């Protein structure tokens, strides 16, 4: 299995990715598709089940994987707007038991969306929006063809209408995108998911050989479509890696933007390396093989029955390819899979720690919607981590609608904050033990800085962080689970390689008494030349070259019976950040025992 390094962790639904096609059959002849006893409801929405309330957290990105700010997100009657990280949150959205539809819109981009099988807990999605780039233009009343650089094309007879049904005359700009199933980013670019209503009104899961997104704009920017009775010929390229297995004819499906799923309409034939078909209107068009499907929810746990979040799960059908997704905070991932087939299930530790699965088993065949639990055995090379903390607003109140972003290696894990408390679970490799945290107050539009930490396996409590985007540096600490102390001003941080008073190299951090009535002093004797790392308590002795940290004066920390551990995770140049997090137990000068944890995020002055 190859690594998908550019595939964000935020996609938690199962999306179909083509790996093999065996034949070209009509829907009535396809595997599982011709059962004369199939029970088809009167209306397609009956497949979706009852209304339920679910929470959603998502990220919207562009083709370069950069976040897009200001995207309007709609789920049912609920709306939200993405922030500077491209993140949106909608809690308590009304969806159906087997179907939820998320729409994303912003000027300059074509319509985008994602459909999911909602799970209990936070449903996480990633949507990649495609720019509304004009590929070519035609004129009403005149036939014409617009062709993209890869050969995909659309031909017009010259008859167009506006959204209100009135005739349009003038120049027509054609926005055209080809979505290639050989592209790892295609599952994020395509609308909805590969779930459809066939021409008989039955639900199907789809296997795609390629899509075209077509949008038409008038000279005034108005949305256009084909006039009634008009048709267009579309040509959809087939990737060279798939051409040998492409069927001679294939059903065509268009995406219903109002309802969030595909509908069967017509077919395309293979001519050279192109599927060619005729369509009577425009949105996304899709060349797919259909099959009957069921919804499958997989919960991954360890041997102690603890749910495993942020796991990479794949399910492979020998006939219809591979589906994949990532587990949420409950260890669960849901989606559509082929019915009546034995399936291979693999669980991976994302892909940072190697390509071999942590667990493999055969599941199915399934004939009805199902829930299964898989137990992932312990692995000495993989470490389970839990990161917890408190996230407050700048005035000290608990953040009620926010999220925390943890970056580890090239992975990013985003989880919601509930009443100021957060918990992120992940697996890490034994040779990498540092991570960064950044948090966002989604309501008040304030964020923290990105702060570096070291894992304190198995649970890392980072203490309290606050969203004060105007604050450039701070010191925070908590003693005996009491109120957190914050220092934002009059902070001096100096690094010396030639100190006249202490062994070299040394680090001095001092915050004088200020308007907050607090002061702070920290000294560190560092390793040379590898300054970053974990340090114990330091007791000054001119006759030794011991390394370590101590916290002086203001906090009343005695030098004996001191078990505070310090992690120096960043030591920037002058004007850049020094990051230290610390926790442990100590005695004060009166012999009283205490616990402490804290964070130092300060700018280096020297």
């Amino acid at each position: 299995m190859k690594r998908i390094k550019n595939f964000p962790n935020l996609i938690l639904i199962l999306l179909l990715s083509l790996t093999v096609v065996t034949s070209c059959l009509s829907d009535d002849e396809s595997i599982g598709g011709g059962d004369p006893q199939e029970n088809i409801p009167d209306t397609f929405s009956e497949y979706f089940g009852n209304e339920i309330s679910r929470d959603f957290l998502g990220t919207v990105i562009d083709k370069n994987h950069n976040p897009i700010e200001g995207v309007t997100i709609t789920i049912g009657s609920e709306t939200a707007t993405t922030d500077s990280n491209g993140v949106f949150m909608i809690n308590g959205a009304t969806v159906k038991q087997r179907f939820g539809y998320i729409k994303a819109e912003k000027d300059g981009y074509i319509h985008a969306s994602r459909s999911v099988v909602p799970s209990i807990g936070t449903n996480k999605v990633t949507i990649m929006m495609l720019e509304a780039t004009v590929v070519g233009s035609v004129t009403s009343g005149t036939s014409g063809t617009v062709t993209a650089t890869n050969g995909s094309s659309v031909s017009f007879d010259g008859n167009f209408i506006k959204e209100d049904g009135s005739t349009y005359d003038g120049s027509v700009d054609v926005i055209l995108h080809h979505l290639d199933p050989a592209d790892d980013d295609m599952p994020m670019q395509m609308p909805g998911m590969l779930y459809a209503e066939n021409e008989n009104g039955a639900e199907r899961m789809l296997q795609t050989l390629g899509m075209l997104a077509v949008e038409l704009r008038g000279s005034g920017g108005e949305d256009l479509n084909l006039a009634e009775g008009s048709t267009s010929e579309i040509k959809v390229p087939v990737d060279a890696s798939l051409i040998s297995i492409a069927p001679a004819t294939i059903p065509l499906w268009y995406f219903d933007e109002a309802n969030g799923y595909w509908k069967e309409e017509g077919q395309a034939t293979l001519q050279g390396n192109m599927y060619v078909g005729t369509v009577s209107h425009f949105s996304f068009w899709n060349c797919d093989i259909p099959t009957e499907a069921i919804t499958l929810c997989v919960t991954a746990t360890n041997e102690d029955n603890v749910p495993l979040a942020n796991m990479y799960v794949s399910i492979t059908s020998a006939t219809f390819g591979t589906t994949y997704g990532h587990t949420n905070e409950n260890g669960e991932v849901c989606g559509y899979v082929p019915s009546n087939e034995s399936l291979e299930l693999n669980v991976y530790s994302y892909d940072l720690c190697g390509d071999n699965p942590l667990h493999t088993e055969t599941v199915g065949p399934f004939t009805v919607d199902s829930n299964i639990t898989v137990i992932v055995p312990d692995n000495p090379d993989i470490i389970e981590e839990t990161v917890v903390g408190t996230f407050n607003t700048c005035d000290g109140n608990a953040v009620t609608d926010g999220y925390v972003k943890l970056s580890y290696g090239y992975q990013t894990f985003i989880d919601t904050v509930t009443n100021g408390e957060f918990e992120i679970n992940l697996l890490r490799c034994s040779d990498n033990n540092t991570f960064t945290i950044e948090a966002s107050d989604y309501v008040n539009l304030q964020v923290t800085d990105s702060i570096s930490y070291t894992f304190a396996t198995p649970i890392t409590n980072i203490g309290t962080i606050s969203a004060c985007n105007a604050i450039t540096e701070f010191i925070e600490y908590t003693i005996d689970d009491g109120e957190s102390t914050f220092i934002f001003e009059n902070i001096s941080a100096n690094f010396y390689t030639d100190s006249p008073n202490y062994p070299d190299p040394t680090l001095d951090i001092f915050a004088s008494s200020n308007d907050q009535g607090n002061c702070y002093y920290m000294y560190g004797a560092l390793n040379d030349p590898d300054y970053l790392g974990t340090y114990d308590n330091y007791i000054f002795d001119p006759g030794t070259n011991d390394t370590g940290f101590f916290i002086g004066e203001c906090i009343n920390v005695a030098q004996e019976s001191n078990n505070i551990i310090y992690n120096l995770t960043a030591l920037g140049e002058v004007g850049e950040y020094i990051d230290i997090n610390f926790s442990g137990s100590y005695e004060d000068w009166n012999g009283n025992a205490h616990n402490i944890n804290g964070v130092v995020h300060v700018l280096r002055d020297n």
Side-chain angles (χ1 to χ4, degrees), residues 114-128:
R114 184 70 61 244
S115 300
V116 303
V117 178
S119 61
I120 297 173
T122 302
N123 291 269
K124 300 180 182 180
V125 299
T126 295
I127 299 173
M128 179 178 285

Side-chain angles (χ1 to χ4, degrees), residues 342-565:
S342 294
L343 306 168
E344 180 184 288
L345 183 149
N346 289 286
V347 181
Y348 298 82
S349 59
Y350 201 64
D351 57 349
L352 186 65
C353 302
D355 295 337
N356 295 324
L358 300 177
H359 176 69
T360 300
E361 68 176 82
T362 299
V363 299
F366 301 100
T367 58
V368 296
D369 294 348
S370 302
N371 296 270
I372 63 172
T373 297
V374 296
I375 299 174
V376 179
D378 292 338
N379 187 315
D381 297 324
I382 306 295
I383 301 171
E384 295 181 30
E385 295 286 4
T386 298
V387 178
V388 299
T390 301
F391 181 29
N392 288 341
T393 63
C394 197
D395 57 9
N397 296 321
V399 170
T400 56
D401 287 297
Y403 62 89
V404 173
K405 181 170 68 173
L406 185 154
S407 297
Y408 172 63
Y410 50 77
Q411 304 172 76
T412 299
F413 303 98
I414 298 180
D415 279 284
T416 55
V417 174
T418 303
N419 296 323
E421 304 296 323
F422 63 88
E423 177 179 315
I424 300 176
N425 300 285
L426 69 150
L427 301 184
R428 72 172 179 90
C429 309
S430 58
D431 59 350
N432 186 350
N433 68 342
T434 61
F435 64 96
T436 62
I437 286 284
E438 180 182 351
S440 177
D441 180 352
Y442 190 73
V443 173
N444 297 308
L445 302 178
Q446 291 188 315
V447 299
T448 68
D449 286 328
S450 179
I451 308 169
S452 298
Y453 297 90
T454 300
F455 287 112
T457 308
I459 298 178
T460 305
N461 187 336
I462 70 168
T464 301
I465 55 178
S466 295
C468 298
N469 55 0
I471 294 174
T472 58
E473 58 181 346
F474 68 89
I475 298 169
E476 177 273 328
Y477 59 88
T478 304
I479 298 175
D480 295 335
D481 298 320
E483 293 292 328
S484 294
T485 298
F486 289 91
I487 302 174
F488 302 131
E489 55 192 35
N490 298 332
I491 300 173
S492 174
N494 297 288
F495 174 65
Y496 302 102
T497 56
D498 57 352
S499 171
N501 301 316
Y502 298 102
D504 299 328
T506 61
L507 183 63
D508 278 295
I509 298 173
F510 179 67
S512 60
S513 296
N514 49 48
D515 292 341
Q516 298 161 277
N518 301 313
C519 68
Y520 183 89
Y521 178 66
M522 172 181 280
Y523 168 81
L526 307 184
N527 296 313
D528 189 5
D530 298 322
Y531 306 127
L532 303 184
T534 300
Y535 293 87
D536 296 324
N537 184 56
Y538 176 78
I539 299 177
F540 176 68
D541 184 347
T544 69
N545 290 317
D546 291 342
T547 60
F549 278 80
F550 71 79
I551 300 174
E553 295 102 8
C554 304
I555 303 182
N556 190 17
V557 176
Q559 292 299 292
E560 303 298 331
S561 301
N562 184 331
N563 297 304
I564 303 174
I565 302 299

